[in-house]
PDB file of all heavy atoms in Angstrom:
ATOM      1  N   ASN P 862     -11.740  37.204  -3.060  1.00 91.00           N
ATOM      2  CA  ASN P 862     -13.025  37.309  -3.759  1.00 91.00           C
ATOM      3  C   ASN P 862     -12.854  37.212  -5.253  1.00 91.00           C
ATOM      4  O   ASN P 862     -13.683  36.626  -5.963  1.00 91.00           O
ATOM      5  CB  ASN P 862     -13.730  38.631  -3.402  1.00 91.00           C
ATOM      6  CG  ASN P 862     -14.234  38.628  -1.948  1.00 91.00           C
ATOM      7  OD1 ASN P 862     -14.227  37.593  -1.270  1.00 91.00           O
ATOM      8  ND2 ASN P 862     -14.685  39.778  -1.494  1.00 91.00           N
ATOM      9  N   TYR P 865     -12.470  33.630  -6.251  1.00 93.00           N
ATOM     10  CA  TYR P 865     -13.785  32.987  -6.211  1.00 93.00           C
ATOM     11  C   TYR P 865     -14.546  33.260  -7.523  1.00 93.00           C
ATOM     12  O   TYR P 865     -15.070  32.339  -8.123  1.00 93.00           O
ATOM     13  CB  TYR P 865     -14.564  33.524  -5.012  1.00 93.00           C
ATOM     14  CG  TYR P 865     -16.039  33.096  -5.001  1.00 93.00           C
ATOM     15  CD1 TYR P 865     -16.410  31.893  -4.428  1.00 93.00           C
ATOM     16  CD2 TYR P 865     -17.021  33.945  -5.536  1.00 93.00           C
ATOM     17  CE1 TYR P 865     -17.735  31.496  -4.402  1.00 93.00           C
ATOM     18  CE2 TYR P 865     -18.381  33.527  -5.497  1.00 93.00           C
ATOM     19  CZ  TYR P 865     -18.718  32.328  -4.936  1.00 93.00           C
ATOM     20  OH  TYR P 865     -20.014  31.946  -4.923  1.00 93.00           O
ATOM     21  N   ARG P 866     -14.566  34.535  -7.917  1.00 90.00           N
ATOM     22  CA  ARG P 866     -15.308  34.879  -9.122  1.00 90.00           C
ATOM     23  C   ARG P 866     -14.697  34.251 -10.358  1.00 90.00           C
ATOM     24  O   ARG P 866     -15.391  33.732 -11.232  1.00 90.00           O
ATOM     25  CB  ARG P 866     -15.383  36.386  -9.288  1.00 90.00           C
ATOM     26  CG  ARG P 866     -16.268  37.034  -8.255  1.00 90.00           C
ATOM     27  CD  ARG P 866     -16.543  38.490  -8.480  1.00 90.00           C
ATOM     28  NE  ARG P 866     -17.306  39.007  -7.331  1.00 90.00           N
ATOM     29  CZ  ARG P 866     -16.792  39.679  -6.329  1.00 90.00           C
ATOM     30  NH1 ARG P 866     -15.489  39.978  -6.323  1.00 90.00           N
ATOM     31  NH2 ARG P 866     -17.526  40.054  -5.305  1.00 90.00           N
ATOM     32  N   LEU P 870     -17.521  29.762  -9.081  1.00 91.00           N
ATOM     33  CA  LEU P 870     -18.183  28.884  -8.092  1.00 91.00           C
ATOM     34  C   LEU P 870     -19.553  29.476  -7.745  1.00 91.00           C
ATOM     35  O   LEU P 870     -19.737  30.670  -7.774  1.00 91.00           O
ATOM     36  CB  LEU P 870     -17.304  28.818  -6.815  1.00 91.00           C
ATOM     37  CG  LEU P 870     -15.930  28.219  -6.988  1.00 91.00           C
ATOM     38  CD1 LEU P 870     -15.109  28.449  -5.747  1.00 91.00           C
ATOM     39  CD2 LEU P 870     -16.067  26.733  -7.253  1.00 91.00           C
ATOM     40  N   TYR P 872     -21.440  29.496  -4.637  1.00 93.00           N
ATOM     41  CA  TYR P 872     -21.512  29.199  -3.213  1.00 93.00           C
ATOM     42  C   TYR P 872     -21.530  30.453  -2.419  1.00 93.00           C
ATOM     43  O   TYR P 872     -20.532  30.867  -1.862  1.00 93.00           O
ATOM     44  CB  TYR P 872     -20.263  28.360  -2.852  1.00 93.00           C
ATOM     45  CG  TYR P 872     -20.344  27.546  -1.562  1.00 93.00           C
ATOM     46  CD1 TYR P 872     -21.209  26.493  -1.448  1.00 93.00           C
ATOM     47  CD2 TYR P 872     -19.565  27.894  -0.468  1.00 93.00           C
ATOM     48  CE1 TYR P 872     -21.326  25.759  -0.265  1.00 93.00           C
ATOM     49  CE2 TYR P 872     -19.627  27.151   0.702  1.00 93.00           C
ATOM     50  CZ  TYR P 872     -20.519  26.083   0.829  1.00 93.00           C
ATOM     51  OH  TYR P 872     -20.606  25.385   1.950  1.00 93.00           O
ATOM     52  N   PRO P 873     -22.721  31.103  -2.369  1.00 90.00           N
ATOM     53  CA  PRO P 873     -22.840  32.404  -1.763  1.00 90.00           C
ATOM     54  C   PRO P 873     -22.331  32.514  -0.320  1.00 90.00           C
ATOM     55  O   PRO P 873     -21.914  33.557   0.142  1.00 90.00           O
ATOM     56  CB  PRO P 873     -24.354  32.733  -1.776  1.00 90.00           C
ATOM     57  CG  PRO P 873     -24.921  31.763  -2.775  1.00 90.00           C
ATOM     58  CD  PRO P 873     -23.992  30.608  -2.867  1.00 90.00           C
ATOM     59  N   LYS P 874     -22.336  31.382   0.397  1.00 92.00           N
ATOM     60  CA  LYS P 874     -21.845  31.378   1.807  1.00 92.00           C
ATOM     61  C   LYS P 874     -20.364  31.722   1.874  1.00 92.00           C
ATOM     62  O   LYS P 874     -19.901  32.100   2.939  1.00 92.00           O
ATOM     63  CB  LYS P 874     -22.024  29.980   2.404  1.00 92.00           C
ATOM     64  CG  LYS P 874     -23.469  29.700   2.708  1.00 92.00           C
ATOM     65  CD  LYS P 874     -23.671  28.387   3.500  1.00 92.00           C
ATOM     66  CE  LYS P 874     -25.102  27.989   3.397  1.00 92.00           C
ATOM     67  NZ  LYS P 874     -25.747  27.201   4.273  1.00 92.00           N
ATOM     68  N   PHE P 876     -18.998  34.382   0.937  1.00 94.00           N
ATOM     69  CA  PHE P 876     -18.796  35.753   1.314  1.00 94.00           C
ATOM     70  C   PHE P 876     -18.987  36.019   2.817  1.00 94.00           C
ATOM     71  O   PHE P 876     -18.681  37.093   3.324  1.00 94.00           O
ATOM     72  CB  PHE P 876     -19.708  36.660   0.493  1.00 94.00           C
ATOM     73  CG  PHE P 876     -19.341  36.659  -0.946  1.00 94.00           C
ATOM     74  CD1 PHE P 876     -20.134  35.947  -1.863  1.00 94.00           C
ATOM     75  CD2 PHE P 876     -18.202  37.306  -1.371  1.00 94.00           C
ATOM     76  CE1 PHE P 876     -19.777  35.883  -3.198  1.00 94.00           C
ATOM     77  CE2 PHE P 876     -17.869  37.299  -2.743  1.00 94.00           C
ATOM     78  CZ  PHE P 876     -18.613  36.592  -3.641  1.00 94.00           C
ATOM     79  N   LYS P 877     -19.527  35.038   3.540  1.00 94.00           N
ATOM     80  CA  LYS P 877     -19.671  35.177   4.973  1.00 94.00           C
ATOM     81  C   LYS P 877     -18.372  34.754   5.695  1.00 94.00           C
ATOM     82  O   LYS P 877     -18.203  35.056   6.883  1.00 94.00           O
ATOM     83  CB  LYS P 877     -20.804  34.310   5.494  1.00 94.00           C
ATOM     84  CG  LYS P 877     -22.155  34.691   4.925  1.00 94.00           C
ATOM     85  CD  LYS P 877     -23.245  33.781   5.497  1.00 94.00           C
ATOM     86  CE  LYS P 877     -24.523  33.857   4.759  1.00 94.00           C
ATOM     87  NZ  LYS P 877     -25.224  35.153   4.989  1.00 94.00           N
ATOM     88  N   MET P 878     -17.516  34.062   5.006  1.00 96.00           N
ATOM     89  CA  MET P 878     -16.310  33.515   5.663  1.00 96.00           C
ATOM     90  C   MET P 878     -15.285  34.589   5.954  1.00 96.00           C
ATOM     91  O   MET P 878     -15.222  35.632   5.292  1.00 96.00           O
ATOM     92  CB  MET P 878     -15.640  32.457   4.742  1.00 96.00           C
ATOM     93  CG  MET P 878     -16.491  31.253   4.454  1.00 96.00           C
ATOM     94  SD  MET P 878     -15.620  30.121   3.383  1.00 96.00           S
ATOM     95  CE  MET P 878     -16.965  29.178   2.704  1.00 96.00           C
ATOM     96  N   ASN P 933     -19.735  52.048  21.341  1.00 90.00           N
ATOM     97  CA  ASN P 933     -20.160  51.488  20.067  1.00 90.00           C
ATOM     98  C   ASN P 933     -19.970  49.957  20.152  1.00 90.00           C
ATOM     99  O   ASN P 933     -19.280  49.352  19.331  1.00 90.00           O
ATOM    100  CB  ASN P 933     -19.300  52.096  18.920  1.00 90.00           C
ATOM    101  CG  ASN P 933     -19.851  51.726  17.602  1.00 90.00           C
ATOM    102  OD1 ASN P 933     -21.051  51.418  17.434  1.00 90.00           O
ATOM    103  ND2 ASN P 933     -18.996  51.732  16.565  1.00 90.00           N
ATOM    104  N   PHE P 935     -20.987  46.463  19.802  1.00 93.00           N
ATOM    105  CA  PHE P 935     -21.895  45.522  19.137  1.00 93.00           C
ATOM    106  C   PHE P 935     -21.152  44.307  18.649  1.00 93.00           C
ATOM    107  O   PHE P 935     -20.787  44.238  17.482  1.00 93.00           O
ATOM    108  CB  PHE P 935     -22.576  46.258  17.963  1.00 93.00           C
ATOM    109  CG  PHE P 935     -23.479  47.350  18.381  1.00 93.00           C
ATOM    110  CD1 PHE P 935     -23.112  48.714  18.276  1.00 93.00           C
ATOM    111  CD2 PHE P 935     -24.742  47.094  18.946  1.00 93.00           C
ATOM    112  CE1 PHE P 935     -23.954  49.721  18.660  1.00 93.00           C
ATOM    113  CE2 PHE P 935     -25.603  48.109  19.346  1.00 93.00           C
ATOM    114  CZ  PHE P 935     -25.207  49.437  19.209  1.00 93.00           C
ATOM    115  N   PRO P 936     -20.924  43.338  19.594  1.00 92.00           N
ATOM    116  CA  PRO P 936     -20.233  42.135  19.198  1.00 92.00           C
ATOM    117  C   PRO P 936     -20.935  41.478  17.996  1.00 92.00           C
ATOM    118  O   PRO P 936     -22.154  41.299  18.021  1.00 92.00           O
ATOM    119  CB  PRO P 936     -20.268  41.235  20.403  1.00 92.00           C
ATOM    120  CG  PRO P 936     -21.020  41.938  21.432  1.00 92.00           C
ATOM    121  CD  PRO P 936     -21.428  43.260  20.942  1.00 92.00           C
ATOM    122  N   SER P 937     -20.181  41.070  17.006  1.00 94.00           N
ATOM    123  CA  SER P 937     -20.806  40.499  15.814  1.00 94.00           C
ATOM    124  C   SER P 937     -20.807  38.964  15.901  1.00 94.00           C
ATOM    125  O   SER P 937     -19.742  38.345  15.919  1.00 94.00           O
ATOM    126  CB  SER P 937     -20.039  40.912  14.586  1.00 94.00           C
ATOM    127  OG  SER P 937     -20.378  40.079  13.487  1.00 94.00           O
ATOM    128  N   PRO P 938     -21.963  38.324  15.910  1.00 94.00           N
ATOM    129  CA  PRO P 938     -22.034  36.853  15.973  1.00 94.00           C
ATOM    130  C   PRO P 938     -21.386  36.189  14.772  1.00 94.00           C
ATOM    131  O   PRO P 938     -20.660  35.224  14.901  1.00 94.00           O
ATOM    132  CB  PRO P 938     -23.532  36.527  16.013  1.00 94.00           C
ATOM    133  CG  PRO P 938     -24.242  37.774  15.728  1.00 94.00           C
ATOM    134  CD  PRO P 938     -23.301  38.932  15.898  1.00 94.00           C
ATOM    135  N   SER P 939     -21.604  36.767  13.561  1.00 95.00           N
ATOM    136  CA  SER P 939     -21.054  36.099  12.390  1.00 95.00           C
ATOM    137  C   SER P 939     -19.523  36.205  12.346  1.00 95.00           C
ATOM    138  O   SER P 939     -18.866  35.317  11.815  1.00 95.00           O
ATOM    139  CB  SER P 939     -21.646  36.674  11.099  1.00 95.00           C
ATOM    140  OG  SER P 939     -21.351  38.025  11.044  1.00 95.00           O
ATOM    141  N   VAL P 940     -18.986  37.241  12.937  1.00 95.00           N
ATOM    142  CA  VAL P 940     -17.496  37.368  13.008  1.00 95.00           C
ATOM    143  C   VAL P 940     -16.957  36.467  14.113  1.00 95.00           C
ATOM    144  O   VAL P 940     -15.940  35.783  13.951  1.00 95.00           O
ATOM    145  CB  VAL P 940     -17.032  38.844  13.273  1.00 95.00           C
ATOM    146  CG1 VAL P 940     -15.528  38.912  13.420  1.00 95.00           C
ATOM    147  CG2 VAL P 940     -17.499  39.706  12.102  1.00 95.00           C
ATOM    148  N   VAL P 942     -18.023  33.623  15.058  1.00 94.00           N
ATOM    149  CA  VAL P 942     -17.984  32.239  14.533  1.00 94.00           C
ATOM    150  C   VAL P 942     -16.609  31.855  14.047  1.00 94.00           C
ATOM    151  O   VAL P 942     -16.075  30.766  14.247  1.00 94.00           O
ATOM    152  CB  VAL P 942     -18.993  32.074  13.426  1.00 94.00           C
ATOM    153  CG1 VAL P 942     -18.774  30.781  12.613  1.00 94.00           C
ATOM    154  CG2 VAL P 942     -20.410  32.081  13.986  1.00 94.00           C
TER     155      VAL P 942
ATOM    156  N   VAL J 232     -24.711  43.616   6.126  1.00 94.00           N
ATOM    157  CA  VAL J 232     -24.340  42.921   7.368  1.00 94.00           C
ATOM    158  C   VAL J 232     -24.319  41.396   7.151  1.00 94.00           C
ATOM    159  O   VAL J 232     -23.633  40.686   7.881  1.00 94.00           O
ATOM    160  CB  VAL J 232     -25.221  43.244   8.577  1.00 94.00           C
ATOM    161  CG1 VAL J 232     -25.217  44.736   8.845  1.00 94.00           C
ATOM    162  CG2 VAL J 232     -26.582  42.684   8.486  1.00 94.00           C
ATOM    163  N   LEU J 233     -25.064  40.909   6.170  1.00 94.00           N
ATOM    164  CA  LEU J 233     -25.072  39.447   5.959  1.00 94.00           C
ATOM    165  C   LEU J 233     -24.140  39.025   4.819  1.00 94.00           C
ATOM    166  O   LEU J 233     -24.181  37.873   4.376  1.00 94.00           O
ATOM    167  CB  LEU J 233     -26.527  38.975   5.678  1.00 94.00           C
ATOM    168  CG  LEU J 233     -27.531  39.289   6.759  1.00 94.00           C
ATOM    169  CD1 LEU J 233     -28.858  38.584   6.453  1.00 94.00           C
ATOM    170  CD2 LEU J 233     -27.041  38.826   8.113  1.00 94.00           C
ATOM    171  N   ASN J 234     -23.342  39.972   4.352  1.00 93.00           N
ATOM    172  CA  ASN J 234     -22.358  39.642   3.287  1.00 93.00           C
ATOM    173  C   ASN J 234     -23.006  38.967   2.082  1.00 93.00           C
ATOM    174  O   ASN J 234     -22.498  38.018   1.530  1.00 93.00           O
ATOM    175  CB  ASN J 234     -21.285  38.685   3.840  1.00 93.00           C
ATOM    176  CG  ASN J 234     -20.439  39.356   4.882  1.00 93.00           C
ATOM    177  OD1 ASN J 234     -20.455  38.957   6.017  1.00 93.00           O
ATOM    178  ND2 ASN J 234     -19.700  40.386   4.538  1.00 93.00           N
ATOM    179  N   LEU J 235     -24.171  39.521   1.630  1.00 93.00           N
ATOM    180  CA  LEU J 235     -24.842  38.949   0.478  1.00 93.00           C
ATOM    181  C   LEU J 235     -24.292  39.632  -0.758  1.00 93.00           C
ATOM    182  O   LEU J 235     -24.961  40.371  -1.497  1.00 93.00           O
ATOM    183  CB  LEU J 235     -26.368  39.151   0.603  1.00 93.00           C
ATOM    184  CG  LEU J 235     -26.959  38.550   1.842  1.00 93.00           C
ATOM    185  CD1 LEU J 235     -28.440  38.894   1.951  1.00 93.00           C
ATOM    186  CD2 LEU J 235     -26.814  36.999   1.861  1.00 93.00           C
ATOM    187  N   GLU J 236     -22.996  39.387  -0.962  1.00 89.00           N
ATOM    188  CA  GLU J 236     -22.259  40.223  -1.935  1.00 89.00           C
ATOM    189  C   GLU J 236     -22.789  40.208  -3.359  1.00 89.00           C
ATOM    190  O   GLU J 236     -22.612  41.097  -4.124  1.00 89.00           O
ATOM    191  CB  GLU J 236     -20.782  39.698  -1.933  1.00 89.00           C
ATOM    192  CG  GLU J 236     -19.858  40.531  -2.753  1.00 89.00           C
ATOM    193  CD  GLU J 236     -18.633  40.953  -1.956  1.00 89.00           C
ATOM    194  OE1 GLU J 236     -18.724  40.979  -0.677  1.00 89.00           O
ATOM    195  OE2 GLU J 236     -17.634  41.255  -2.539  1.00 89.00           O
ATOM    196  N   GLU J 237     -23.421  39.066  -3.737  1.00 88.00           N
ATOM    197  CA  GLU J 237     -23.862  38.957  -5.117  1.00 88.00           C
ATOM    198  C   GLU J 237     -25.250  39.494  -5.347  1.00 88.00           C
ATOM    199  O   GLU J 237     -25.791  39.348  -6.452  1.00 88.00           O
ATOM    200  CB  GLU J 237     -23.766  37.478  -5.529  1.00 88.00           C
ATOM    201  CG  GLU J 237     -22.277  37.001  -5.573  1.00 88.00           C
ATOM    202  CD  GLU J 237     -22.128  35.536  -5.857  1.00 88.00           C
ATOM    203  OE1 GLU J 237     -22.946  34.739  -5.394  1.00 88.00           O
ATOM    204  OE2 GLU J 237     -21.177  35.180  -6.560  1.00 88.00           O
ATOM    205  N   GLY J 255     -32.727  32.087   2.071  1.00 77.00           N
ATOM    206  CA  GLY J 255     -32.110  30.936   2.705  1.00 77.00           C
ATOM    207  C   GLY J 255     -31.138  31.287   3.832  1.00 77.00           C
ATOM    208  O   GLY J 255     -30.070  30.700   3.987  1.00 77.00           O
ATOM    209  N   LEU J 256     -31.505  32.311   4.659  1.00 86.00           N
ATOM    210  CA  LEU J 256     -30.649  32.709   5.738  1.00 86.00           C
ATOM    211  C   LEU J 256     -30.690  31.652   6.827  1.00 86.00           C
ATOM    212  O   LEU J 256     -31.617  30.889   6.969  1.00 86.00           O
ATOM    213  CB  LEU J 256     -31.110  34.073   6.277  1.00 86.00           C
ATOM    214  CG  LEU J 256     -31.211  35.184   5.199  1.00 86.00           C
ATOM    215  CD1 LEU J 256     -31.628  36.484   5.871  1.00 86.00           C
ATOM    216  CD2 LEU J 256     -29.914  35.364   4.487  1.00 86.00           C
ATOM    217  N   ASP J 257     -29.617  31.689   7.664  1.00 87.00           N
ATOM    218  CA  ASP J 257     -29.580  30.683   8.762  1.00 87.00           C
ATOM    219  C   ASP J 257     -29.593  31.371  10.112  1.00 87.00           C
ATOM    220  O   ASP J 257     -29.751  32.565  10.235  1.00 87.00           O
ATOM    221  CB  ASP J 257     -28.382  29.737   8.563  1.00 87.00           C
ATOM    222  CG  ASP J 257     -27.026  30.387   8.889  1.00 87.00           C
ATOM    223  OD1 ASP J 257     -27.040  31.586   9.349  1.00 87.00           O
ATOM    224  OD2 ASP J 257     -26.012  29.740   8.686  1.00 87.00           O
ATOM    225  N   ILE J 259     -27.241  32.066  12.303  1.00 92.00           N
ATOM    226  CA  ILE J 259     -26.280  33.136  12.571  1.00 92.00           C
ATOM    227  C   ILE J 259     -26.716  34.437  11.888  1.00 92.00           C
ATOM    228  O   ILE J 259     -26.565  35.543  12.477  1.00 92.00           O
ATOM    229  CB  ILE J 259     -24.877  32.731  12.012  1.00 92.00           C
ATOM    230  CG1 ILE J 259     -24.434  31.384  12.596  1.00 92.00           C
ATOM    231  CG2 ILE J 259     -23.857  33.868  12.308  1.00 92.00           C
ATOM    232  CD1 ILE J 259     -24.010  31.450  14.061  1.00 92.00           C
ATOM    233  N   ASP J 260     -27.318  34.328  10.725  1.00 93.00           N
ATOM    234  CA  ASP J 260     -27.812  35.527  10.037  1.00 93.00           C
ATOM    235  C   ASP J 260     -28.888  36.195  10.930  1.00 93.00           C
ATOM    236  O   ASP J 260     -28.972  37.399  11.013  1.00 93.00           O
ATOM    237  CB  ASP J 260     -28.448  35.143   8.689  1.00 93.00           C
ATOM    238  CG  ASP J 260     -27.407  34.646   7.713  1.00 93.00           C
ATOM    239  OD1 ASP J 260     -26.293  35.188   7.667  1.00 93.00           O
ATOM    240  OD2 ASP J 260     -27.714  33.640   6.979  1.00 93.00           O
ATOM    241  N   LEU J 262     -29.115  36.168  14.107  1.00 93.00           N
ATOM    242  CA  LEU J 262     -28.426  36.887  15.223  1.00 93.00           C
ATOM    243  C   LEU J 262     -27.861  38.240  14.731  1.00 93.00           C
ATOM    244  O   LEU J 262     -27.892  39.210  15.448  1.00 93.00           O
ATOM    245  CB  LEU J 262     -27.353  35.976  15.810  1.00 93.00           C
ATOM    246  CG  LEU J 262     -27.828  34.735  16.503  1.00 93.00           C
ATOM    247  CD1 LEU J 262     -26.687  33.824  16.838  1.00 93.00           C
ATOM    248  CD2 LEU J 262     -28.626  35.073  17.746  1.00 93.00           C
ATOM    249  N   GLU J 263     -27.310  38.236  13.523  1.00 94.00           N
ATOM    250  CA  GLU J 263     -26.769  39.478  12.981  1.00 94.00           C
ATOM    251  C   GLU J 263     -27.880  40.501  12.775  1.00 94.00           C
ATOM    252  O   GLU J 263     -27.666  41.687  13.006  1.00 94.00           O
ATOM    253  CB  GLU J 263     -26.036  39.243  11.650  1.00 94.00           C
ATOM    254  CG  GLU J 263     -24.593  38.742  11.773  1.00 94.00           C
ATOM    255  CD  GLU J 263     -23.656  39.780  12.421  1.00 94.00           C
ATOM    256  OE1 GLU J 263     -23.979  40.960  12.563  1.00 94.00           O
ATOM    257  OE2 GLU J 263     -22.523  39.334  12.746  1.00 94.00           O
ATOM    258  N   VAL J 266     -28.585  42.176  15.968  1.00 94.00           N
ATOM    259  CA  VAL J 266     -27.594  43.236  16.271  1.00 94.00           C
ATOM    260  C   VAL J 266     -27.936  44.459  15.456  1.00 94.00           C
ATOM    261  O   VAL J 266     -27.862  45.581  15.942  1.00 94.00           O
ATOM    262  CB  VAL J 266     -26.149  42.727  15.939  1.00 94.00           C
ATOM    263  CG1 VAL J 266     -25.150  43.845  16.127  1.00 94.00           C
ATOM    264  CG2 VAL J 266     -25.774  41.549  16.860  1.00 94.00           C
ATOM    265  N   GLU J 269     -30.652  46.625  16.918  1.00 94.00           N
ATOM    266  CA  GLU J 269     -30.251  47.459  18.055  1.00 94.00           C
ATOM    267  C   GLU J 269     -29.308  48.586  17.627  1.00 94.00           C
ATOM    268  O   GLU J 269     -29.470  49.733  18.025  1.00 94.00           O
ATOM    269  CB  GLU J 269     -29.568  46.584  19.144  1.00 94.00           C
ATOM    270  CG  GLU J 269     -29.348  47.423  20.403  1.00 94.00           C
ATOM    271  CD  GLU J 269     -28.680  46.644  21.536  1.00 94.00           C
ATOM    272  OE1 GLU J 269     -28.564  45.402  21.444  1.00 94.00           O
ATOM    273  OE2 GLU J 269     -28.243  47.285  22.509  1.00 94.00           O
ATOM    274  N   LYS J 270     -28.375  48.230  16.770  1.00 94.00           N
ATOM    275  CA  LYS J 270     -27.328  49.183  16.374  1.00 94.00           C
ATOM    276  C   LYS J 270     -27.942  50.357  15.596  1.00 94.00           C
ATOM    277  O   LYS J 270     -27.624  51.528  15.878  1.00 94.00           O
ATOM    278  CB  LYS J 270     -26.312  48.491  15.542  1.00 94.00           C
ATOM    279  CG  LYS J 270     -25.012  49.240  15.315  1.00 94.00           C
ATOM    280  CD  LYS J 270     -24.002  48.259  14.639  1.00 94.00           C
ATOM    281  CE  LYS J 270     -22.687  49.016  14.434  1.00 94.00           C
ATOM    282  NZ  LYS J 270     -21.707  48.169  13.754  1.00 94.00           N
ATOM    283  N   ASN J 271     -28.802  50.035  14.637  1.00 94.00           N
ATOM    284  CA  ASN J 271     -29.271  51.097  13.747  1.00 94.00           C
ATOM    285  C   ASN J 271     -30.612  51.711  14.199  1.00 94.00           C
ATOM    286  O   ASN J 271     -30.889  52.850  13.877  1.00 94.00           O
ATOM    287  CB  ASN J 271     -29.470  50.562  12.310  1.00 94.00           C
ATOM    288  CG  ASN J 271     -28.117  50.233  11.664  1.00 94.00           C
ATOM    289  OD1 ASN J 271     -27.134  50.148  12.320  1.00 94.00           O
ATOM    290  ND2 ASN J 271     -28.127  50.025  10.387  1.00 94.00           N
ATOM    291  N   LYS J 302     -34.288  55.188  17.420  1.00 86.00           N
ATOM    292  CA  LYS J 302     -33.179  55.941  16.835  1.00 86.00           C
ATOM    293  C   LYS J 302     -33.624  56.479  15.489  1.00 86.00           C
ATOM    294  O   LYS J 302     -34.155  55.673  14.687  1.00 86.00           O
ATOM    295  CB  LYS J 302     -31.968  54.970  16.559  1.00 86.00           C
ATOM    296  CG  LYS J 302     -31.048  54.888  17.754  1.00 86.00           C
ATOM    297  CD  LYS J 302     -29.725  54.207  17.254  1.00 86.00           C
ATOM    298  CE  LYS J 302     -28.921  53.794  18.456  1.00 86.00           C
ATOM    299  NZ  LYS J 302     -27.663  53.064  18.045  1.00 86.00           N
TER     300      LYS J 302
END
Side-chain angles (χ1 to χ4, degrees):
Chain P
N862 289 352
Y865 171 86
R866 290 189 185 100
L870 297 168
Y872 198 69
K874 288 186 195 204
F876 294 104
K877 297 181 194 289
M878 297 180 200
N933 192 23
F935 293 104
S937 163
S939 61
V940 176
V942 165
Chain J
V232 305
L233 301 187
N234 295 114
L235 303 175
E236 188 127 338
E237 293 174 323
L256 305 182
D257 73 5
I259 304 287
D260 295 318
L262 295 170
E263 277 295 347
V266 174
E269 189 180 348
K270 194 171 179 180
N271 292 15
K302 271 192 193 178

